[in-house]
Amino acid sequence: MIGDKKIVYSAVQPTGCITLGNYIGAIQNWIKLSEEYDSIFAIADLHALTVRQNPAEYRKRAMSFFAQYLACGLDPEKSIMYFQSHVPEHAELTWILNCFTYIGEAQRMTQFKDKSAKHADNINMGLLDYPVLMASDILLYQADYVPVGVDQKQHLELSRDLAVRFNNLYSPTFTVPEAYIGKQGAKIFSLQDPTKKMSKSDPDVNATVSLIDTPDDIMRKFKRAVTDCDATIRYDEENKPGVSNLLTIFSAVTGRTIEDIVSEYEGKGYAQLKPAVGEAVVEKLRPIREKYLDLLNNKDYLMSIARSGAEKAHSIARRTLAKVYKKVGLVEG
Ligand code: ATP
Ligand code: LTN
């Protein structure tokens, strides 16, 4: 599966529920890219241990995420899909890269600062090391492109810096990866506070739409979406973040341009726009939800895909790690 084509790599942490933001900002692009490139997609289950998880729930959620990857249309014949924790090279390369990462670099990461503030009682080493594990994910597979939302750009920069640093100190070893950020929908905002990104871990259920929400829930959330009191429909991120977010979502799920949507709704009110966006999202997510419910009844099938994905991933990752071990001077086993 991994041949002459460019390589695409990405992952999502199994926390909360996969949201419409994750889908539009990340997974929808994965599917497009997997048509053209060799692609590898992981469930980043080691990453999410940086915050406390309930073990039984966590196990279930990771499986549910894997089923959602498939339900979204990722095809195991075209992409390698696996659980990060099934491939030990991720943790191994992290150790090596830790020895090439400055503490100051890690402390500067916005996500580290945000998560430290949010989990002040548990600022653990993993939280600081998170971007190094992410760099290992990417560099193990010699990825060329990494489709992520804008919030991950800084982590990608660190991955690039580490790759360049290692290559310069030794000899070319890692491909220097590029972030692939879709033009549209790079950032979907909360339906309740459109100045904040829609986030899997948002405790307000009305702020996010999950891929597996029922149609009724989706409609209710869009009808309640926070907008503003100037009832004109136009795209203006600064002054009308709520409406602009609705327009971005509408455009992302229908493939229509924002201009086209704005001209259709010109002169109409939010009471018309909101349910229309809701319906478009319901229609987009309906087949995903149906396939997901079906897959959940077939755990053996899910596990067989995960095992075969991990095997393929492991053989690629081992090759890179063997090179790295040799270059830094470890005795070959
Ligand atoms: P958490 O709330 O736990 O931090 P999250 O919703 O930010 O989670 P991640 O697992 O950090 O989700 O991200 C998964 C992928 O989805 C990443 O590529 C990220 O950039 C993208 N993404 C996350 N939220 C959004 C959003 N609101 N809009 C667009 N892309 C997003
Ligand atoms: N940190 C990422 C998830 C992630 C990831 C990766 C994304 C873990 N490893 C490798 C791209 C490539 C996030 O979206 N929060």
Side-chain angles (χ1 to χ4, degrees), residues 40-239:
I40 309 172
F41 301 114
I43 302 284
D45 54 355
L46 295 175
H47 272 105
L49 292 178
T50 51
V51 300
R52 284 286 165 268
Q53 305 290 344
N54 170 305
E57 274 174 25
Y58 191 49
R59 199 169 288 125
K60 231 169 121 182
R61 189 170 325 111
M63 277 309 283
S64 158
F65 269 51
F66 197 74
Q68 287 177 65
Y69 274 15
L70 288 164
C72 284
L74 287 175
D75 178 353
E77 299 291 323
K78 291 190 186 145
S79 312
I80 296 175
M81 280 182 253
Y82 70 102
F83 291 93
Q84 183 189 35
S85 62
H86 292 179
V87 179
E89 285 79 8
H90 292 253
E92 292 179 82
L93 182 59
T94 300
W95 176 255
I96 302 287
L97 292 182
N98 272 337
C99 302
F100 295 86
T101 310
Y102 304 111
I103 292 178
E105 273 177 315
Q107 284 170 331
R108 271 200 296 278
M109 295 291 125
T110 319
Q111 184 177 301
F112 171 67
K113 291 190 215 159
D114 289 351
K115 294 229 160 148
S116 306
K118 217 159 133 191
H119 305 278
D121 55 336
N122 182 19
I123 305 177
N124 58 61
M125 291 290 290
L127 217 48
L128 183 64
D129 208 21
Y130 181 110
V132 184
L133 177 60
M134 179 162 159
S136 302
D137 297 344
I138 298 166
L139 301 184
L140 275 174
Y141 301 94
Q142 309 290 355
D144 297 279
Y145 304 123
V146 183
V148 283
V150 262
D151 61 307
Q152 293 299 311
K153 221 175 150 205
Q154 197 185 29
H155 286 164
L156 241 298
E157 280 304 316
L158 181 68
S159 301
R160 289 168 60 85
D161 289 347
L162 291 176
V164 169
R165 189 172 303 160
F166 194 96
N167 289 349
N168 287 342
L169 275 168
Y170 299 94
S171 56
T173 309
F174 297 120
T175 301
V176 181
E178 265 176 56
Y180 177 97
I181 296 177
K183 275 187 237 60
Q184 213 182 45
K187 198 162 183 180
I188 301 297
F189 294 88
S190 154
L191 296 185
Q192 288 300 309
D193 176 356
T195 59
K196 257 181 27 190
K197 82 163 187 166
M198 184 181 283
S199 167
K200 287 203 253 97
S201 48
D202 196 321
D204 180 351
V205 290
N206 290 320
T208 63
V209 172
S210 148
L211 288 194
I212 51 177
D213 272 347
T214 62
D216 285 352
D217 282 339
I218 297 174
M219 290 306 293
R220 180 177 43 82
K221 290 178 185 182
F222 277 100
K223 283 183 188 158
R224 284 194 191 173
V226 169
T227 40
D228 52 54
C229 26
D230 149 39
T232 55
I233 294 175
R234 67 190 154 83
Y235 191 87
D236 177 350
E237 275 177 44
E238 206 168 305
N239 301 306

